[in-house]
Amino acid sequence: MPTKKLHRPATSVRRGNSQNGRKRSIEVFIKRDFLTKRELRGLTKYVLAHEQDFTASTVIPDGVPDAETDVSYRKSRVLYDLGEYAGLVQKRLRALLPEVLKTFRRTEFPIANVDVQITASNHGDFFKVHRDNSSVEPLDIPLREVTYVYYFHTEPKAFSGGQLSLYNSKDGEVENSGEQSVKTITPRQNTLVLFPSFYDHEVLPVRCPTGKFANSRFTVNGWVIREAVADNEPDKTEAVRPDDQADMSWLVEAAQALQAKGPQSPVKIYITLEEASQFSGLSVGYLRGLIEADKLSALDDSGWKVRRKDVERL
């Protein structure tokens, strides 16, 4: 799958199907001071230096595999290349995940990737109600298990609004939920928020009177993506909550999508830098820098190639 499909901001889906119509509690995991003060300053400096590299956000409508820009549904800007901070965020999230899954009362699962991107939301920016996993293409969407949002901003804070609202819903439509409940989280400096990717949620409009990029509501956001289940292997990623075990239609949809794709290709021992970037979420430039610094072994075979196992350790 092309790299842009793995890292584009389009991979949030409008109006997915809810797992069931019963009301469930909204479970959220919050981690204060996710980064050290030094790391936070460095990340903020990095983002401000890459303002010109941000591009318009997109969405994937139901039943359509390709992304599109729709400012009536989502308006913000995103950055895909986080440099050294991508690996830092991924490492911290992987270490935290067992505690997160325990809070959500879910069993642990093998991780294929931790998607990482930065979103900048300025005056009037928003994201209407949507879900982050669905049965639509690209294939990684049904495999998203946990969504995360890390909030940060320049000081003093120069915006308001931009709260994250999480909903219970029925049939993917919040307005149709007979027993609607909502949990709203206000952006707070250096705070990480995680929640199951099947939750309906939205980002409320941001108010930033100056309109300056540096005054934006910034987030590092993405998804923890589980490994695909082979046709001849049992799945072990279902929730242990009784109310969720009743409906596993999302798992059936994911298995059907895998079957439609046919047999999986054998795992490569050596992969190109582009494949390593897609697999790890790290930029090609960052991986090349590790090679030049002798921190990542590689061989020159019509271009640099690295061992898949070495990339997994990053």
Side-chain angles (χ1 to χ4, degrees):
M1 188 177 295
T3 302
K4 70 174 183 178
K5 284 199 173 185
L6 288 177
H7 297 284
R8 63 188 175 184
T11 46
S12 291
V13 182
R14 301 190 298 196
R15 302 191 179 195
N17 295 323
S18 72
Q19 289 195 339
N20 54 63
R22 294 187 299 275
K23 185 176 180 179
R24 63 166 68 89
S25 61
I26 301 176
E27 298 171 328
V28 178
F29 185 97
I30 297 178
K31 172 69 174 177
R32 310 289 188 191
D33 299 323
F34 180 62
L35 297 182
T36 66
K37 292 182 179 179
R38 181 177 181 181
E39 291 165 345
L40 174 58
R41 288 194 299 268
L43 174 62
T44 304
K45 183 178 180 180
Y46 179 89
V47 168
L48 297 182
H50 288 79
E51 176 181 356
Q52 299 304 316
D53 297 325
F54 279 75
T55 57
S57 300
T58 55
V59 293
I60 297 180
D62 275 352
V64 179
D66 296 321
E68 64 179 30
T69 300
D70 184 354
V71 295
S72 69
Y73 204 91
R74 181 188 189 189
K75 185 173 179 289
S76 57
R77 297 168 64 192
V78 296
L79 175 70
Y80 310 124
D81 186 356
L82 277 68
E84 63 183 285
Y85 294 99
L88 171 64
V89 171
Q90 290 170 325
K91 182 178 180 180
R92 294 277 172 84
L93 284 169
R94 285 176 179 268
L96 194 62
L97 192 59
E99 185 179 354
V100 173
L101 293 179
K102 183 177 181 181
T103 299
F104 295 162
R105 296 191 289 279
R106 295 188 66 90
T107 55
E108 294 189 35
F109 54 87
I111 300 173
N113 186 38
V114 178
D115 194 282
V116 183
Q117 58 189 242
I118 291 180
T119 302
S121 302
N122 207 277
H123 190 67
D125 290 355
F126 64 95
F127 197 167
K128 291 185 178 179
V129 178
H130 64 283
R131 298 179 67 191
D132 289 339
N133 71 0
S134 169
S135 60
V136 304
E137 296 286 355
L139 189 57
D140 72 325
I141 289 182
L143 303 178
R144 293 174 184 163
E145 290 288 336
V146 178
T147 296
Y148 71 89
V149 184
Y150 168 70
Y151 296 101
F152 67 104
H153 55 78
T154 57
E155 298 285 2
K157 181 179 178 183
F159 72 90
S160 58
Q163 298 94 336
L164 170 66
S165 288
L166 301 153
Y167 301 99
N168 283 329
S169 66
K170 182 177 181 180
D171 300 326
E173 299 282 357
V174 173
E175 58 267 28
N176 291 341
S177 179
E179 295 185 67
Q180 181 186 133
S181 62
V182 58
K183 178 171 290 186
T184 299
I185 298 172
T186 299
R188 179 173 175 177
Q189 181 76 297
N190 200 11
T191 297
L192 175 72
V193 177
L194 303 99
F195 56 91
S197 294
F198 61 79
Y199 279 5
D200 292 279
H201 59 285
E202 69 176 316
V203 177
L204 302 181
V206 173
R207 295 181 294 278
C208 183
T210 68
K212 294 181 179 179
F213 176 80
N215 293 336
S216 298
R217 167 194 180 272
F218 294 113
T219 63
V220 178
N221 54 280
W223 313 274
V224 178
I225 302 172
R226 62 181 169 86
E227 288 185 358
V229 179
D231 293 343
N232 60 348
E233 292 182 4
D235 179 73
K236 300 179 181 179
T237 62
E238 65 266 24
V240 297
R241 298 183 314 186
D243 60 336
D244 279 348
Q245 289 181 348
D247 187 349
M248 296 299 293
S249 59
W250 63 272
L251 181 58
V252 175
E253 293 170 348
Q256 291 174 341
L258 286 171
Q259 291 174 353
K261 290 294 181 181
Q264 294 182 330
S265 301
V267 176
K268 297 179 181 178
I269 297 177
Y270 282 89
I271 56 179
T272 66
L273 290 189
E274 289 73 18
E275 291 171 330
S277 175
Q278 176 178 328
F279 172 70
S280 66
L282 302 174
S283 70
V284 171
Y286 179 70
L287 292 171
R288 189 176 291 111
L290 292 179
I291 294 172
E292 294 173 352
D294 293 327
K295 295 181 179 180
L296 178 64
S297 299
L299 58 86
D300 190 355
D301 180 15
S302 300
W304 289 118
K305 291 185 178 179
V306 296
R307 290 198 312 172
R308 185 185 183 95
K309 287 187 177 180
D310 292 339
V311 177
E312 290 175 348
R313 297 191 186 103
L314 295 178

